Amino acid sequence: MKLALGLLHFLLSFITFLNSINANPVNLNERDQSAGTFEIIGETGVGAMHVSLVRPTKVIIIDRAELNTAKTSDGQSAISTEYDLLTNKYRVLNLHTNTFCSAGAFMANGTLIESGGDVIVGTIGAGIQSLRMYNGCDDLTCDWTEYPNYMITPRWYNTMVRLPDGRVMNFGGCTKATNKNTKDINSPTVEFFPKTGNNATDSPVTIQLLLDTLPYNLYPVCIVLPGPVGQNWLFMSANKKAQIWDYVKLEVVKPLPDVPGSPRTYPLTGSATLLPLNYNNNYTAEILLCGGSFDLKPEGPADGTCARMNFGNDNATWETEDFGNPAQPRVMPDSILMPDGKVLFLNGAANGFAGWDTGPTTNRLHSAQNPVKTPFLYDPLANNGSRWTTLAASNIVRVYHSNALLLPDGTVFVSGSNPNSPPCPTCEHPTEYRVERFTPPYLLTGAPRATMKTVAGLTSINGLTAIEVKFNQIVTIVIDSKVPSGAVFTACLIHNGFVTHSNHMSQRMVVLKVDSVIPTSTGYAIDVVMPPNPNIMPMGRHNYLYVLSNGVPADTAVEVDLK
């Protein structure tokens, strides 16, 4: 009997101990420090050279004209598909102009504008002066609309950016296929969409920066700088040069110091990021450029540094730091702004550069070697030297033509790599159609996730239309939550932009002020303040509102239309 009572006492004590462990699963200092997980969830059907979130549950995939497993209704190899995040299946779309190494950005009304490309291939027409439009839908009827000769200037490896005034700007590129730019094929200009119909205002404007940065100035960096209404400034960078440029006056505002380290634009490709903008410091801009490469040699070392500039003072200079801890040189990295304010880096290689290998295809890694499969997480608020966390590695090689994209549920869509035409299943690194979902550490803590029930008084969340909100508006979000009393809530707006070749065009994050948190019978009513003007977050759709409790995102973000 004593033995039985002792055993019962032990079991009760053990249960009490287990309950004490789980009593406060969201304690910020006792969280599970999981390194994240990769999971294969589907296939893209075409090479994922370009990706973009066109609806809350739809990712558009764009490739070049090449032999792909997905076929159109007439049996031709497809160029584009739409990936459904609910079913993990793709739907074949119809494109008739070659989108090889093109660019994209969203209009304020939600229309994706995609432009540029390459020459005629078989039945696929030339895309180099083409403009294409795509409006996402939920009824499986939407498709591409194409304008084959819309652009004044031929553009290959161009960059596009969504402007605060609702327009889209096309920036740089070259006029025909190359592995590096040259004077005779350079497109050192900008042009705007939509056209005004006035030849004087529609004519391309020359950018001296793109004349001075040959030959490594393709897919140049272009980022809208935050500021007051009436400021019209862009950060521009190519090769190792940088400047501030006014897109209304069409002139240089200020040259900036050269970027330290290697060139960081194609084909010596690094990745550039506007770090999260925050109301706490009056939305001061900080730019981070990481990785790159030093030469057009497949065996040459990639750059293991990052360069960071704070625009909070008039004499800003570049701060350098290691790319990872310890440093891991990487060319072709993708950088993704995460809802908790950190930056996720993944994909790429330790040696070489972005481009095609002209040799045999049996062990083809194109022009890069030694894939880097380990993601890094970067904390912009930590001190230099303490900003990096190494996460769990993928089993899949993601090098040339690979991509990554944040999703509304807080996970990351990872796709593409290593195109071979036709696909090469016997290669050491075959054409990669598999899609991975990377689940970040913040979703692996065991902490409960909130559910947004209403936003700005509306219950129709992520429906046919985005929820309309206004600049400076205080927006009430009602959530159902099992988060315990005393939880810390944060919120942000994220625009994912258009992703290709490590260039996350127009990607942007703004930390929102949480004005009040009021407990309800089922959760909380949270008031958040929208950004003050379009220079902080450009107007329009495809801005996703994330709410986090103790650093854990709600089960989905909500698409808003910022007016």
Side-chain angles (χ1 to χ4, degrees):
M1 178 65 73
K2 289 183 178 180
L3 180 61
L5 289 173
L7 180 59
L8 178 61
H9 178 74
F10 170 77
L11 289 173
L12 290 173
S13 299
F14 186 62
I15 290 170
T16 301
F17 170 70
L18 290 178
N19 287 335
S20 70
I21 291 177
N22 296 313
N24 187 17
V26 293
N27 186 300
L28 292 175
N29 296 318
E30 296 176 5
R31 283 186 175 181
D32 175 12
Q33 297 300 309
S34 168
T37 60
F38 282 91
E39 174 192 7
I40 298 171
I41 58 172
E43 292 194 353
T44 55
V46 299
M49 186 189 309
H50 321 282
V51 298
S52 190
L53 188 67
V54 291
R55 294 285 294 117
T57 61
K58 302 287 195 303
V59 174
I60 199 160
I61 314 288
I62 310 169
D63 194 15
R64 66 187 182 115
E66 65 177 333
L67 298 176
N68 280 306
T69 58
K71 306 297 179 186
T72 59
S73 58
D74 60 0
Q76 300 297 310
S77 292
I79 297 178
S80 180
T81 59
E82 183 187 72
Y83 189 94
D84 191 312
L85 296 168
L86 298 178
T87 65
N88 291 312
K89 304 293 184 183
Y90 64 78
R91 176 173 71 95
V92 175
L93 303 176
N94 293 288
L95 266 179
H96 304 96
T97 55
N98 193 354
T99 45
F100 189 15
C101 297
S102 48
F106 286 97
M107 298 286 288
N109 66 1
T111 300
L112 175 64
I113 307 298
E114 216 273 352
S115 74
D118 200 11
V119 297
I120 296 172
V121 175
T123 61
I124 302 299
I128 200 159
Q129 286 181 263
S130 296
L131 183 137
R132 312 162 192 92
M133 295 184 180
Y134 189 83
N135 287 298
C137 64
D138 291 319
D139 60 4
L140 308 181
T141 61
C142 45
D143 213 328
W144 287 99
T145 302
E146 299 178 80
Y147 302 89
N149 295 296
Y150 182 90
M151 290 197 303
I152 297 171
T153 302
R155 295 188 190 272
W156 199 59
Y157 286 112
N158 52 312
T159 292
M160 294 176 69
V161 62
R162 181 171 80 156
L163 297 176
D165 61 14
R167 294 181 297 162
V168 165
M169 192 184 85
N170 227 322
F171 179 42
C174 55
T175 61
K176 66 178 184 180
T178 182
N179 70 336
K180 60 181 179 179
N181 208 358
T182 59
K183 182 178 180 180
D184 59 320
I185 62 171
N186 194 17
S187 293
T189 62
V190 300
E191 57 185 291
F192 299 89
F193 177 86
K195 291 179 182 178
T196 64
N198 183 325
N199 288 337
T201 56
D202 288 338
S203 297
V205 177
T206 298
I207 305 294
Q208 185 65 37
L209 177 82
L210 296 177
L211 296 172
D212 297 339
T213 51
L214 292 169
Y216 307 127
N217 67 354
L218 299 175
Y219 277 136
V221 176
C222 191
I223 297 171
V224 175
L225 287 174
V229 173
Q231 176 182 293
N232 307 296
W233 293 356
L234 302 172
F235 169 83
M236 292 178 167
S237 180
N239 201 326
K240 298 181 65 170
K241 293 189 176 298
Q243 67 182 22
I244 299 174
W245 193 77
D246 190 308
Y247 63 84
V248 171
K249 294 180 180 179
L250 306 178
E251 64 186 24
V252 176
V253 175
K254 180 181 180 180
L256 297 171
D258 284 359
V259 183
S262 71
R264 300 182 191 265
T265 45
Y266 187 93
L268 306 179
T269 303
S271 193
T273 310
L274 173 66
L275 294 176
L277 300 174
N278 197 313
Y279 68 93
N280 274 321
N281 62 7
N282 198 30
Y283 308 102
T284 298
E286 289 193 76
I287 302 284
L288 181 72
L289 295 97
C290 288
S293 195
F294 293 92
D295 202 357
L296 296 180
K297 296 179 179 178
E299 70 282 359
D303 193 330
T305 69
C306 297
R308 177 170 167 173
M309 178 177 282
N310 186 321
F311 288 76
N313 64 76
D314 293 335
N315 299 309
T317 58
W318 293 102
E319 173 193 64
T320 58
E321 57 186 297
D322 288 342
F323 190 3
N325 186 17
Q328 170 59 70
R330 193 185 304 225
V331 62
M332 299 180 290
D334 279 283
S335 54
I336 302 164
L337 295 170
M338 304 299 285
D340 62 355
K342 297 187 172 99
V343 186
L344 177 69
F345 289 87
L346 69 174
N347 302 336
N351 297 83
F353 59 98
W356 297 102
D357 180 358
T358 57
T361 62
T362 50
N363 292 311
R364 191 166 184 171
L365 261 177
H366 299 293
S367 300
Q369 300 176 4
N370 298 322
V372 181
K373 301 179 184 178
T374 304
F376 296 150
L377 196 60
Y378 179 85
D379 185 351
L381 300 181
N383 293 326
N384 191 348
S386 303
R387 293 171 176 163
W388 296 99
T389 301
T390 301
L391 302 180
S394 170
N395 292 320
I396 297 178
V397 170
R398 304 283 186 187
V399 282
Y400 193 46
H401 289 185
S402 59
N403 283 296
L405 180 72
L406 177 69
L407 299 179
D409 67 357
T411 65
V412 177
F413 184 93
V414 187
S415 61
S417 186
N418 215 51
N420 297 280
S421 188
C424 181
T426 60
C427 291
E428 180 183 355
H429 301 292
T431 303
E432 190 55 72
Y433 294 115
R434 291 175 292 177
V435 176
E436 290 174 289
R437 178 193 290 118
F438 178 70
T439 301
Y442 57 38
L443 295 181
L444 298 172
T445 65
R449 301 182 69 179
T451 298
M452 284 189 263
K453 305 300 288 185
T454 69
V455 175
L458 300 175
T459 58
S460 179
I461 290 174
N462 292 338
L464 294 177
T465 58
I467 292 178
E468 185 174 315
V469 297
K470 299 184 182 301
F471 290 103
N472 260 331
Q473 179 183 351
I474 297 176
V475 174
T476 300
I477 304 161
V478 176
I479 65 170
D480 279 356
S481 177
K482 297 179 181 178
V483 176
S485 176
V488 176
F489 288 95
T490 57
C492 65
L493 277 183
I494 294 180
H495 178 70
N496 290 304
F498 183 91
V499 185
T500 187
H501 291 75
S502 303
N503 194 334
H504 290 237
M505 302 176 190
S506 304
Q507 180 184 217
R508 201 171 189 88
M509 173 181 170
V510 180
V511 177
L512 304 177
K513 181 181 180 182
V514 176
D515 205 44
S516 68
V517 177
I518 301 174
T520 68
S521 59
T522 59
Y524 298 88
I526 303 168
D527 285 345
V528 300
V529 184
M530 291 296 109
N533 66 61
N535 279 335
I536 307 304
M537 177 65 83
M539 68 179 73
R541 293 189 62 167
H542 303 294
N543 293 318
Y544 283 85
L545 172 61
Y546 289 81
V547 171
L548 299 85
S549 53
N550 289 339
V552 179
D555 54 14
T556 186
V558 174
E559 185 189 14
V560 299
D561 187 355
L562 188 57
K563 299 287 190 179

